[in-house]
Amino acid sequence: MSVGSKDLHLVCELMNRRLEPKSNPIVQEYVLPDLSSNRKGRIRQSGDIVAEADQILVMNNERFCVPELLFRPDDIGLDQSGLPATIALSISLLPSDLQGMFWANIGLVGGCAKFPGFRVRLMSELRSLAPTDCEVVIYECDEPITEAYRAAVTFVDMPGFTNHVVTRAEYAESGSNASRRRFHDWKPRETEKEKPKEPAKLKGKQREDDRSQAPTKATRTRTKVIPTSTTTTRKR
């Protein structure tokens, strides 16, 4: 098949997809969930019977444009980093001797982790952001939606759980001092508002200019007032 015939075949294929959207494998119909009857949403299959009350959402390029925002939020004008850059920045804020351990222990949690190809895409972008001497390892779980809940329940059931937390009553009584007693290495992070502002030091030449422009002390001056005499003439 020559190059010209390939281009013609591609144009014909695109025209057929536009005329018959249902033949396009990217286009899918999603039956929205019905909360009143506690029915979950589903992708409509061929031969699937749909009731008149069902709401159907037709998805085309939204299937890959919406997940792409996790990696490229600037596509919709958001001035912020994507998921790979955020992970790399968070690890870079850790002590240097711990960064390698965190690069090798990245876990995927949450419903977005179920996107097809999500782990492969994240791995390819993190590998380019990680230091060359660090190994990047991403772990997946069977149920990423409930993994955070099950991990928290497991942590609470551990015998030494109370040694790793500050209770509400302790914080209400002592405030941040309770955290200092529990975690000896804990230090509150100073915000920009809390940092004391030092007065700016002026350079020598600038101080001299300011002195020359400063107003001098007012001096008292006395003015001598000379009385003036007025004469009047009478008409005879």
Side-chain angles (χ1 to χ4, degrees):
M1 185 180 292
S2 62
V3 177
S5 60
K6 287 183 179 179
D7 295 340
L8 181 60
H9 176 73
L10 179 60
V11 172
C12 294
E13 186 69 20
L14 292 176
M15 292 297 295
N16 293 333
R17 297 303 185 188
R18 291 180 180 178
L19 295 175
E20 299 180 3
K22 293 185 178 180
S23 62
N24 189 348
I26 297 179
V27 179
Q28 292 189 0
E29 295 181 348
Y30 182 70
V31 182
L32 297 178
D34 187 359
L35 301 180
S36 60
S37 59
N38 197 18
R39 186 182 59 189
K40 297 182 179 180
R42 69 186 188 279
I43 297 177
R44 184 179 181 181
Q45 304 296 336
S46 58
D48 192 1
I49 300 176
V50 180
E52 295 182 359
D54 292 339
Q55 295 180 343
I56 300 176
L57 176 65
V58 180
M59 297 182 296
N60 191 0
N61 57 350
E62 296 85 1
R63 295 183 57 195
F64 52 85
C65 289
V66 174
E68 183 66 19
L69 297 179
L70 295 173
F71 298 88
R72 297 289 182 270
D74 54 347
D75 289 350
I76 58 173
L78 293 179
D79 187 14
Q80 60 186 32
S81 302
L83 182 60
T86 303
I87 295 175
L89 177 61
S90 301
I91 296 179
S92 65
L93 298 176
L94 297 171
S96 57
D97 55 339
L98 297 178
Q99 294 182 14
M101 180 181 65
F102 279 83
W103 277 112
N105 290 274
I106 300 175
L108 298 182
V109 178
C112 294
K114 302 186 72 174
F115 287 138
F118 183 81
R119 180 183 179 278
V120 177
R121 170 72 180 278
L122 184 62
M123 172 65 79
S124 63
E125 297 201 12
L126 285 179
R127 183 62 271 178
S128 61
L129 298 175
T132 56
D133 57 341
C134 293
E135 181 184 8
V136 181
V137 181
I138 299 179
Y139 293 95
E140 292 180 300
C141 52
D142 297 334
E143 295 293 337
I145 297 178
T146 58
E147 180 65 21
Y149 167 76
R150 290 188 285 109
V153 171
T154 304
F155 181 49
V156 170
D157 292 338
M158 294 177 62
F161 170 74
T162 55
N163 298 328
H164 301 282
V165 296
V166 174
T167 63
R168 181 185 179 90
E170 292 174 347
Y171 188 83
E173 179 181 357
S174 304
S176 60
N177 291 327
S179 300
R180 294 188 181 92
R181 289 195 298 266
R182 180 74 65 181
F183 314 108
H184 301 289
D185 297 334
W186 180 82
K187 294 180 180 179
R189 184 176 181 180
E190 294 183 359
T191 59
E192 295 295 334
K193 296 181 180 180
E194 295 177 353
K195 291 182 180 180
K197 294 183 179 180
E198 297 180 357
K201 296 182 179 180
L202 302 178
K203 296 181 180 180
K205 186 177 180 180
Q206 187 174 0
R207 288 199 299 266
E208 292 177 0
D209 295 341
D210 294 341
R211 291 175 183 175
S212 62
Q213 297 177 2
T216 57
K217 293 182 178 179
T219 56
R220 293 184 178 180
T221 57
R222 294 183 179 179
T223 57
K224 187 176 181 181
V225 179
I226 301 174
T228 58
S229 58
T230 58
T231 58
T232 59
T233 58
R234 295 181 180 178
K235 293 183 181 181
R236 292 182 180 180

